Amino acid sequence: MIAERAKKIKPSPTLAVDSKAKELKAKGFDVVNFGVGEPDFDTPEHIKEAAIKAIKDGFTKYTPVGGIDELKEAIVEKLEKENGLKYGKENILVSCGAKHSLYNIAQALFGPGDEVIIPAPYWVSYPDQVLINDAQPVIVETYEEDNFTIRPELLKEKITKKTKALILNSPSNPTGFIYDRKTLERIAEIALQHNIYIISDEIYEKLIYDGESHISIASLGDEIKEKTIVVNGLSKSHAMTGWRIGYAAGPVEIIKTMTKIQSQSTSNPTSIAQKAAVAALKGPQDSVEGMRQEFEKRRNYLVNELNNINGISCRMPKGAFYAFPNISKVLEKKNNGKNIENSMELSIYLLEKALVALVPGSAFGAEGFIRISYATSMENLKKGIERIKEAVDALK
Ligand SMILES: *Cc1c(COP(=O)(O)O)cnc(C)c1O
């Protein structure tokens, strides 16, 4: 009855932990939620005002499928000013969130027989967006000692005649690490040699710490720019997850195809949200920087505390709002004589015993780790960390 294509994919595994946490919360338990993947801040006021104005002005009808000119122009300007990327409006598609842009890319580029290389740990939607288009995800491992960035020689090993694309995500969800220029140059060189596309998910670009900066692989040269589709959006940078505005920038032919696909599925992103996005991109950016600074403080606190827990070690991530600690030593311990076998079992133990919700590394293709989101208040971080410490110390 159900199409084979649809049977290949699973619901987002991060939601499984979330629903268990909500179930406990509904029963009256005081659960600390470290599982969330969205900023806890409110959307800045001037952005909300722009949306309210759009409603009052009656800007409530269909817009062009790929977004209004005003927003495309704001995106073109942003990409040039902040990323050193020169595009025209014809290179831009605005979608209902970056996830939707990624989905449109997958539909435009992938089909039966295609292989798509995805570095693990990966964001949960990448493999499934490849699978639902009847293409094959090919996972390339990355290692903690490399800050979870690809080893170029391992990437090369995965390339076959069928390889269509590589999906990059810097800063990364779930690891929080970023790619440096040298590694990006190596990856670009390999991609050009083998004629494969790069899909560059840069949604956490604004959340980078320790004075480091973001580099878009597309900015490394005209040749690689022609093979790259840059994906970005406002959800993480401007605390606008619910507004559903993301965008893609890339070669005209691909963008045209993606726009055609969007025209047969969702049509335009919400008219009101597009006006809000213009305000977000063109208005004052001090709230973006304010949120970044707050995230940096929380990161410093969280990672230091994690390293004080026996059996847990955590490298200092450079971006996004996640810590990705190594818990392999905890997995050697026992709970009342019973082994805790993997990151999923540890997550369930921490939820039941300590009332802390977080996501097992296995959800991201990386056993031996857990993901902790610090998109939550300092007070919650303190409470959650104390509980994790106590629960881990109780293991023998
Ligand atoms: C949150 C997230 C997205 C999607 O964001 P949208 O809300 O759809 O714009 C894409 N990629 C990664 C890695 C994310 O964490």
Side-chain angles (χ1 to χ4, degrees):
M1 184 178 76
I2 299 298
E4 283 309 312
R5 194 184 57 248
K7 289 184 196 160
K8 288 183 196 166
I9 64 165
K10 56 188 183 318
S12 167
T14 49
L15 296 179
V17 176
D18 199 54
S19 66
K20 180 124 206 209
K22 287 196 175 122
E23 194 186 300
L24 283 170
K25 240 183 181 157
K27 284 185 187 154
F29 291 100
D30 171 32
V31 178
V32 173
N33 196 348
F34 286 168
V36 285
E38 61 180 343
D40 53 316
F41 301 105
D42 197 5
T43 305
E45 210 52 40
H46 69 281
I47 299 174
K48 292 184 184 173
E49 289 300 334
I52 292 165
K53 181 171 187 306
I55 295 175
K56 294 219 162 123
D57 290 348
F59 193 74
T60 52
K61 304 282 163 63
Y62 290 134
T63 76
V65 170
I68 54 177
D69 273 356
E70 192 187 1
L71 177 53
K72 285 191 182 177
E73 279 156 16
I75 292 166
V76 164
E77 211 177 290
K78 179 252 178 256
L79 290 169
E80 176 158 13
K81 203 173 78 192
E82 297 181 357
N83 306 105
L85 292 169
K86 252 190 146 65
Y87 289 110
K89 279 183 293 189
E90 66 281 8
N91 299 104
I92 308 294
L93 167 67
V94 185
S95 303
C96 312
K99 187 186 266 188
H100 185 215
S101 284
L102 288 161
Y103 190 82
N104 286 328
I105 295 171
Q107 287 240 299
L109 290 184
F110 309 152
D114 290 333
E115 294 178 352
V116 180
I117 299 179
I118 301 171
Y122 46 72
W123 185 51
V124 293
S125 293
Y126 300 143
D128 288 55
Q129 289 195 350
V130 171
L131 284 169
I132 200 161
N133 287 293
D134 293 317
Q136 194 54 41
V138 174
I139 306 301
V140 57
E141 296 298 328
T142 67
Y143 299 93
E144 189 182 21
E145 69 237 53
D146 303 328
N147 289 342
F148 301 103
T149 56
I150 301 180
R151 287 186 193 164
E153 66 274 17
L154 294 186
L155 170 61
K156 269 185 172 165
E157 277 174 20
K158 297 286 178 184
I159 295 174
T160 71
K161 282 202 188 74
K162 294 177 177 173
T163 307
K164 191 76 177 269
L166 162 70
I167 304 181
L168 274 188
N169 176 214
S170 176
S172 154
N173 173 8
T175 72
F177 282 98
I178 61 177
Y179 277 81
D180 62 25
R181 182 175 295 273
K182 222 173 125 222
T183 312
L184 289 176
E185 280 171 354
R186 276 299 287 137
I187 293 170
E189 201 179 306
I190 294 166
L192 288 174
Q193 255 164 23
H194 296 271
N195 198 30
I196 60 182
Y197 287 105
I198 291 182
I199 294 155
S200 182
D201 180 350
E202 305 180 7
I203 190 101
Y204 291 99
E205 166 204 30
K206 293 287 175 189
L207 298 175
I208 295 189
Y209 315 115
D210 302 329
E212 305 248 359
S213 52
H214 173 73
I215 302 165
S216 174
I217 191 165
S219 70
L220 297 180
D222 287 343
E223 262 187 301
I224 193 65
K225 180 162 165 261
E226 274 304 301
K227 294 297 288 182
T228 303
I229 304 105
V230 174
V231 175
N232 209 329
L234 300 167
S235 286
K236 311 293 164 51
S237 58
H238 292 75
M240 290 177 70
T241 45
W243 298 77
R244 310 312 301 132
I245 297 287
Y247 55 89
V252 172
E253 196 195 345
I254 296 173
I255 293 296
K256 251 194 194 156
T257 307
M258 290 166 61
T259 307
K260 182 173 72 180
I261 291 163
Q262 185 163 302
S263 81
Q264 296 295 10
S265 54
T266 60
S267 299
N268 61 275
T270 308
S271 58
I272 302 150
Q274 289 188 64
K275 285 286 190 184
V278 171
L281 288 169
K282 299 189 87 149
Q285 302 297 311
D286 49 327
S287 46
V288 175
E289 174 58 14
M291 291 187 269
R292 193 198 64 80
Q293 287 176 8
E294 182 59 31
F295 280 129
E296 186 161 4
K297 270 188 226 151
R298 295 174 185 177
R299 175 201 67 154
N300 294 344
Y301 170 77
L302 173 68
V303 174
N304 284 328
E305 291 298 317
L306 283 169
N307 282 311
N308 284 332
I309 300 175
N310 243 332
I312 294 184
S313 70
C314 187
R315 291 191 159 216
M316 189 61 85
K318 295 287 179 189
F321 40 64
Y322 309 102
F324 202 62
N326 186 324
I327 46 106
S328 51
K329 290 228 158 57
V330 179
L331 299 182
E332 291 165 10
K333 301 183 186 195
K334 287 181 165 53
N335 175 28
N336 285 329
K338 207 175 140 280
N339 284 334
I340 290 187
E341 300 280 352
N342 52 42
S343 57
M344 179 56 104
E345 285 189 18
L346 181 65
S347 300
I348 292 169
Y349 169 76
L350 289 175
L351 183 54
E352 288 172 347
K353 168 100 179 176
L355 295 177
V356 175
L358 43 78
V359 187
S362 54
F364 311 100
E367 192 44 84
F369 296 88
I370 50 176
R371 189 192 76 173
I372 298 182
S373 163
Y374 51 89
T376 186
S377 68
M378 205 59 155
E379 192 192 340
N380 266 334
L381 283 177
K382 285 186 176 150
K383 190 155 90 179
I385 273 288
E386 269 167 34
R387 291 184 185 179
I388 293 174
K389 184 165 168 34
E390 202 173 309
V392 169
D393 283 343
L395 299 170
K396 291 287 170 266

